[in-house]
Amino acid sequence: MRVFPLWACALPALAFTSQTAFAQDATAQAEPGSVQPAAPAADASPSTIVVTAKRLDDARASIQPSLGATSYTITNATIQALPGGDNQQFNQIVLQLPGVVQDGFGQFHVRDDHNNLQYRINGTILPEGLAVFGQTLSPRLINSFNLLTGALPAQYGLRTAGIIDVTTKSGFDNAGAVSLYGGSHGMIEPSVQYGGSTGSTNYFVSADYRYDKLGIESVDGTSTPIHDGTKQLQLFAYVDHILDDENRVSFVGGYANQLFQIPDPSGLQAADTNPGWNVNGQTDYLSNNLNERQLERTGFGQIAFLHDSGPLTIQTSLFARYSLLRYTPDTLGELLFNGQAQNATKKDVTAGAQIDGAYRLSSAHTLRFGALFEHDHGSSQTATAVFPGSYDDTGNFIQTGQPITIVDNGAKTETTESVYLQDEWKLLPTLTFNFGARFDHYDGYRSEQQLSPRANLVWQPTPGTTIHAGYARYFSPAPFENVATTTISKFAGTSAAPPSGALDTTPFAERQNYFDVGFQHAFGTSGVTFGLDGYYRRSHQLIDEGQFGAPIILTPFNYRRGRIHGIEGNVSYTKGPWLAYANFAYAKAQGKDITSSQFDFDPADLAYIQTHYIYLDHDQTYTGSGGISYAFKQGPLAGLQLGGSMIYGSGLRADGAVPNGVALKDYAQFNLSSSYKIAGPGIQVRFDIINVGNLKYEIRDGTGVGVGAPQYGPRRGFFVGISKDI
């Protein structure tokens, strides 16, 4: 058994960061079960508009409190203090929270779940899209965000491993900034943001463009991988208009266009691995020359109406999202390496409506209710070049002709309907019981439904101590936009044929029983807060996702049975210019018997997994993160911030004697940051070092159930930035 290294727990004594508000929910009104470390107070203003806006923000937050769920909060001040500030990718920020595991392709996992995350912007659901490498949300739009996990109240459903709820910036100061950031790996990122108000209308806009020669994780651990560039454009806009003291209408919109080169391994020859495939007599191809690319594009919009009067607060929202993923192969190279080359385009258009409300029935009872309707249309177009032929009795492929192209197109529509009702019942001034249920139904590749009860008990024996225990029944359909639409019969008699008798069962919805218990304690005025949380989950038709074949498109599949449990601990210190935090998590995730998308798997693996529990490929036993910050407020160094952060992982899974039977080597990555703000001219400069020790470590080694390629963490990088207030 690996032991979490003691030096990782001691990180706050070794590194530096800036004044932030990490860790847990700090709403305007302390809610039972959430943890409240110090957060920066909002600037006071005599403006009636500002006061009304703040009151309406608080009213919106009261509709969807955590109520016993585990909640962690990161503010914009925290983001600015981390190495990279708001120039970094959103996933890198989330990795600083407890129980969040780093994976390749920019992915992360909450409590050893593969994905199963729901994003919300100002309380409104952001529909899922087609994205693997790209990050839809830019840190520049964020005022703060919460990660909610554990036994969630009834308003949260469908995606339940974690809820990431972003509160956007909104401008009142008629000010903004332009910046330029860049450094190692040829990275350069110009950006601009501006926020302001006119009368009772407030707005915020941002735009950034990134060019980087390290667009995806390196496949060989070098700091200059072959063919790994990316170009990324992100735009965002927020506008709200206060109609009167009780009503506000708001709009949120965003667009991202992101192009990625797929990195090449170095020095491999196709002739060394293929069974004799040839294209017009050519049998060899150097891996350095592969030219595979992926385009990810998305646009979304939300419009919301918020009403708050007396005992009733309600928000009604309309939302829509368009996304596209296009994979362009190196046809000749992939044919000679893999026996097939697929040009794939997937599109998805989602539109829906959401309503959430709270009615304060009495001092002891607050009812919360809501409904969701979502309409999703997805299409898939593939053209796959394959060799005609067949496999002999020894498993060797006999090519009978030159490559042919098989076209396989399809489209499908899915509708989802959800309703919920719950009661926050104050049994005593220090004891709250929140109970309710939600009903979810979807009709797409399958039609399934479930009534899901929820219950949380929260006790606050002292002002600084909160203890909670909860149960949730969960229902999570497979991600509609990622469900494979391959017609496997079309590939019979080709190099892309699945094993004889292979099945292609449509993925099922996952059904879970989830138990969570934890506590949080703030040690008086010392600034120290400590928390511990444990969870246990049993799943039927546990959903996982894998990369199968060259197109980097994740495909969902099910384990008939799943079992996951773990424990998280966190400690933070916030006082004056100092903030330090350290997080540690233990988890174990296993599944048994693959029951969908079976044609993607090796028959021997399927047979073993049918009768044995195996570790999930994204299981990581120990995970940690930490950091410390100091902000100089006075004297000649006023405006200087020094900081650092780290992440630790005991290693994801890889194949051993059995599928996913071993863990990769553990690692710890340290980052440092410094910035200096010259208040007069409004100029800020910063300098960041990522992976200070230049550690070469594997996130993936290319083996494991549903794992397609190796990925390594970033090597040491130096980055500088300058920004100017406007």
Side-chain angles (χ1 to χ4, degrees):
M1 174 184 293
R2 289 188 183 88
V3 178
F4 185 77
L6 295 177
W7 45 259
C9 296
L11 173 73
L14 305 175
F16 307 92
T17 302
S18 156
Q19 203 164 2
T20 66
F22 245 104
Q24 305 198 5
D25 204 353
T27 55
Q29 183 177 4
E31 52 181 74
S34 66
V35 182
Q36 320 278 331
D43 293 335
S45 170
S47 166
T48 302
I49 295 297
V50 174
V51 172
T52 302
K54 177 64 168 62
R55 187 183 64 78
L56 291 173
D57 285 344
D58 293 343
R60 181 182 64 201
S62 73
I63 299 175
Q64 298 177 324
S66 58
L67 289 172
T70 303
S71 176
Y72 306 104
T73 297
I74 290 183
T75 68
N76 181 259
T78 301
I79 294 171
Q80 298 301 335
L82 289 170
D86 58 12
N87 303 286
Q88 64 188 309
Q89 300 286 285
F90 183 68
N91 66 301
Q92 295 299 315
I93 300 170
V94 181
L95 291 178
Q96 292 299 313
L97 293 173
V100 179
V101 174
Q102 178 181 217
D103 201 346
F105 299 154
Q107 298 179 83
F108 58 87
H109 308 289
V110 176
R111 292 191 169 183
D112 265 9
D113 215 318
H114 182 270
N115 193 344
N116 200 21
L117 299 169
Q118 184 180 97
Y119 291 82
R120 297 186 174 211
I121 301 179
N122 297 333
T124 298
I125 291 173
L126 175 64
E128 296 174 50
L130 294 161
V132 179
F133 311 126
Q135 304 290 313
T136 300
L137 300 177
S138 167
R140 290 186 175 84
L141 65 89
I142 297 172
N143 183 60
S144 66
F145 74 88
N146 293 337
L147 170 63
L148 276 69
T149 187
L152 301 171
Q155 65 262 40
Y156 301 109
L158 302 175
R159 298 288 169 256
T160 53
I163 309 296
I164 297 177
D165 193 357
V166 173
T167 299
T168 60
K169 294 178 181 177
S170 58
F172 299 103
D173 297 331
N174 295 314
V178 293
S179 69
L180 183 65
Y181 186 78
S184 297
H185 319 301
M187 186 270 209
I188 185 167
E189 182 173 342
S191 65
V192 60
Q193 53 186 307
Y194 192 87
S197 63
T198 174
S200 56
T201 301
N202 310 291
Y203 60 90
F204 174 80
V205 295
S206 72
D208 59 74
Y209 174 82
R210 171 187 288 246
Y211 173 79
D212 199 333
K213 293 182 180 178
L214 185 65
I216 307 172
E217 292 86 354
S218 170
V219 297
D220 56 13
T222 64
S223 59
T224 55
I226 303 169
H227 194 260
D228 196 11
T230 182
K231 299 176 181 178
Q232 303 180 30
L233 171 68
Q234 288 186 301
L235 307 172
F236 174 78
Y238 169 82
V239 181
D240 75 51
H241 180 72
I242 297 175
L243 302 173
D244 54 41
D245 287 350
E246 297 180 348
N247 301 285
R248 178 174 68 188
V249 62
S250 61
F251 169 80
V252 174
Y255 174 78
N257 191 81
Q258 301 166 323
L259 179 65
F260 299 89
Q261 295 176 328
I262 308 302
D264 297 336
S266 176
L268 302 181
Q269 298 285 349
D272 294 337
T273 58
N274 73 38
W277 291 316
N278 79 82
V279 179
N280 296 320
Q282 182 174 344
T283 61
D284 204 4
Y285 200 96
L286 180 64
S287 61
N288 302 49
N289 298 328
L290 290 168
N291 183 24
E292 303 159 322
R293 288 156 289 148
Q294 187 149 304
L295 172 68
E296 299 181 9
R297 180 181 297 154
T298 190
F300 65 89
Q302 304 174 343
I303 186 167
F305 174 74
L306 176 67
H307 171 76
D308 178 55
S309 61
L312 177 66
T313 302
I314 194 166
Q315 177 168 281
T316 304
S317 309
L318 301 175
F319 55 82
R321 177 170 180 167
Y322 165 81
S323 60
L324 173 145
L325 186 152
R326 177 177 293 131
Y327 175 82
T328 305
D330 183 315
T331 303
L332 177 59
E334 289 187 32
L335 276 169
L336 293 177
F337 271 103
N338 305 322
Q340 59 180 297
Q342 184 176 95
N343 194 311
T345 299
K346 292 177 74 85
K347 299 178 183 178
D348 190 75
V349 179
T350 305
Q354 176 184 345
I355 183 170
D356 298 282
Y359 184 75
R360 297 154 193 89
L361 190 64
S362 68
S363 60
H365 293 274
T366 298
L367 299 180
R368 291 183 174 86
F369 55 90
L372 170 72
F373 173 79
E374 191 170 287
H375 181 276
D376 204 332
H377 180 76
S379 63
S380 173
Q381 298 175 320
T382 64
T384 308
V386 296
F387 293 107
S390 61
Y391 290 90
D392 62 21
D393 293 340
T394 61
N396 295 316
F397 184 77
I398 309 301
Q399 180 181 337
T400 59
Q402 287 303 297
I404 59 175
T405 299
I406 297 176
V407 175
D408 190 13
N409 299 334
K412 189 69 175 177
T413 297
E414 179 175 274
T415 58
T416 303
E417 306 89 22
S418 303
V419 294
Y420 71 87
L421 176 66
Q422 63 185 346
D423 180 21
E424 178 187 350
W425 182 11
K426 286 191 172 297
L427 301 170
L428 297 169
T430 60
L431 186 64
T432 301
F433 181 48
N434 187 71
F435 66 99
R438 65 178 292 125
F439 177 80
D440 299 292
H441 169 265
Y442 80 98
D443 185 13
Y445 290 102
R446 287 189 178 276
S447 181
E448 297 181 272
Q449 62 192 31
Q450 180 175 288
L451 178 67
S452 305
R454 311 284 178 85
N456 275 288
L457 191 64
V458 182
W459 180 39
Q460 294 180 295
T462 70
T465 303
T466 301
I467 301 170
H468 71 270
Y471 164 78
R473 176 73 170 159
Y474 287 148
F475 175 78
S476 299
F480 169 78
E481 67 282 355
N482 288 341
V483 173
T485 57
T486 304
T487 307
I488 61 176
S489 60
K490 287 189 174 185
F491 295 91
T494 75
S495 52
S500 176
L503 299 175
D504 183 20
T505 308
T506 302
F508 300 87
E510 180 177 354
R511 303 169 190 268
Q512 304 175 25
N513 289 301
Y514 198 112
F515 303 87
D516 183 275
V517 61
F519 78 94
Q520 197 83 14
H521 180 71
F523 292 87
T525 60
S526 68
V528 177
T529 301
F530 173 75
L532 199 64
D533 198 274
Y535 58 92
Y536 176 76
R537 161 184 153 197
R538 294 302 295 258
S539 293
H540 178 65
Q541 300 296 355
L542 181 147
I543 294 175
D544 201 349
E545 293 181 338
Q547 181 216 331
F548 305 99
I552 315 299
I553 300 172
L554 300 180
T555 301
F557 63 94
N558 297 95
Y559 290 92
R560 183 173 58 87
R561 298 293 182 193
R563 55 191 188 192
I564 297 177
H565 67 268
I567 189 168
E568 298 169 355
N570 64 86
V571 61
S572 65
Y573 172 73
T574 307
K575 197 158 189 176
W578 288 97
L579 182 140
Y581 64 93
N583 306 309
F584 169 72
Y586 160 83
K588 183 177 182 179
Q590 295 180 310
K592 177 182 179 181
D593 190 10
I594 293 174
T595 56
S596 63
S597 304
Q598 297 95 328
F599 75 98
D600 283 319
F601 299 90
D602 179 86
D605 286 350
L606 283 176
Y608 181 85
I609 299 168
Q610 186 175 23
T611 56
H612 296 81
Y613 274 98
I614 66 167
Y615 285 95
L616 305 186
D617 69 279
H618 52 268
D619 172 82
Q620 181 163 274
T621 305
Y622 300 110
T623 303
S625 60
I628 194 170
S629 72
Y630 188 87
F632 293 86
K633 299 296 186 180
Q634 298 176 343
L637 296 180
L640 176 65
Q641 301 182 9
L642 300 175
S645 65
M646 66 84 69
I647 56 173
Y648 167 82
S650 63
L652 297 176
R653 309 301 298 189
D655 284 341
V658 300
N660 298 342
V662 299
L664 296 176
K665 188 177 184 298
D666 60 351
Y667 64 88
Q669 176 184 313
F670 293 84
N671 314 304
L672 293 176
S673 179
S674 63
S675 65
Y676 184 65
K677 181 68 176 283
I678 307 172
I683 295 176
Q684 184 179 47
V685 293
R686 68 178 305 129
F687 175 62
D688 303 307
I689 307 176
I690 304 300
N691 193 355
V692 175
N694 198 27
L695 176 70
K696 180 180 178 180
Y697 66 92
E698 280 187 311
I699 302 173
R700 294 287 193 182
D701 74 349
T703 71
V705 177
V707 178
Q711 293 113 32
Y712 284 77
R715 301 298 292 272
R716 182 168 53 216
F718 301 93
F719 302 91
V720 296
I722 183 170
S723 64
K724 174 68 170 69
D725 292 344
I726 55 176

